[in-house]
Amino acid sequence: MDEIELAKQTEICKNCKNIVIGKGNERAQILFVGEAPGRNEDEQGIPFVGAAGKNLDTLLAEVGLSLHDIYITNILKCRPPENRGPTPAEIKAHTPWLKKQIREMKPKVVCSLGNYATKFFLAGGNVDSMDDQQGITQVHGKVRVIDFEGLKIKLIPLFHPAAIIYNRSIIPVWEKDMEIVKHEISQKTLF
Ligand code: URA
């Protein structure tokens, strides 16, 4: 079974309206990875089009990035019911698809949005060791170079744009982290 079929076998994929693959430029050097589609994304089949997406649009505009410069996808390609968090089994079934996207795109920079995406990359894509990784509160804004399945990637963990909706005190932290993103991507050659 290939990576896409594996994800499609999960209950969330059988029950969703649309599979949400990604948006932006697949040839870009910068990849943003969120958690999973929400209700609006499920309706439209496009990631980050709801309230969290509006925050992400602001974030991108602040650092002068457009969808021409980046690609955006999620850990899960289908919406979990009631917007619950992804289960380890779902992450295991869906991330081979994400890894395939990464193999094809070969991004130089990955901005992981929130805990799930950040722990996935810190664990080098090994779902079983995600629980051993530090959370987003500890690692946001801290740039590190990771080896991801043989690819050298600059990882920039960021708070999830949805977190700002519930916790406005994150805004200044977020803006500071954006300065770091801006600095990193303004390097003439990313490596
Ligand atoms: N939150 C995510 O993590 N991804 C989306 O696509 C929308 C909301």
Side-chain angles (χ1 to χ4, degrees):
M1 199 186 306
D2 74 9
E3 296 88 348
I4 295 168
E5 276 311 310
L6 182 68
K8 285 185 178 171
Q9 296 301 314
T10 55
E11 282 303 307
I12 53 170
C13 264
K14 289 180 189 156
N15 295 320
C16 71
K17 288 194 181 144
N18 281 297
I19 296 178
V20 179
I21 299 171
K23 70 176 176 185
N25 181 357
E26 284 161 294
R27 290 164 174 254
Q29 296 194 316
I30 307 164
L31 173 67
F32 279 70
V33 182
E35 185 177 309
R39 183 187 302 277
N40 293 294
E41 291 76 19
D42 184 44
E43 297 280 345
Q44 296 184 41
I46 304 169
F48 285 101
V49 288
K54 297 265 174 309
N55 283 343
L56 185 59
D57 290 346
T58 309
L59 177 165
L60 294 173
E62 275 178 18
V63 290
L65 287 175
S66 73
L67 284 179
H68 176 74
D69 308 304
I70 65 166
Y71 190 71
I72 307 177
T73 187
N74 283 304
I75 291 283
L76 300 188
K77 306 298 190 235
C78 305
R79 180 185 182 224
E82 313 304 328
N83 292 342
R84 63 159 170 75
T87 65
E90 287 163 353
I91 301 175
K92 274 188 189 165
H94 281 239
T95 48
W97 192 343
L98 173 62
K99 288 180 180 174
K100 180 177 189 298
Q101 289 175 304
I102 292 173
R103 276 197 303 278
E104 287 166 3
M105 186 181 160
K106 297 188 183 58
K108 297 258 196 270
V109 173
V110 168
C111 293
S112 53
L113 302 170
N115 255 322
Y116 286 94
T118 297
K119 290 189 173 194
F120 176 75
F121 283 99
L122 288 177
N126 178 1
V127 181
D128 287 329
S129 61
M130 281 174 64
D131 276 351
D132 303 331
Q133 309 304 318
Q134 286 187 303
I136 193 66
T137 313
Q138 282 82 45
V139 299
H140 71 89
K142 294 187 182 150
V143 184
R144 67 189 80 201
V145 177
I146 58 164
D147 181 317
F148 190 83
E149 308 222 305
L151 265 185
K152 199 170 139 201
I153 288 176
K154 206 180 261 184
L155 178 69
I156 312 178
L158 300 171
F159 278 110
H160 193 285
I164 294 162
I165 300 168
Y166 309 107
N167 184 355
R168 310 294 293 174
S169 69
I170 291 177
I171 294 174
V173 183
W174 206 46
E175 286 173 347
K176 223 167 139 210
D177 287 349
M178 278 310 96
E179 287 303 316
I180 294 162
V181 173
K182 202 171 180 170
H183 172 76
E184 289 298 332
I185 62 180
S186 66
Q187 313 289 324
K188 213 170 176 64
T189 44
L190 290 168
F191 279 110

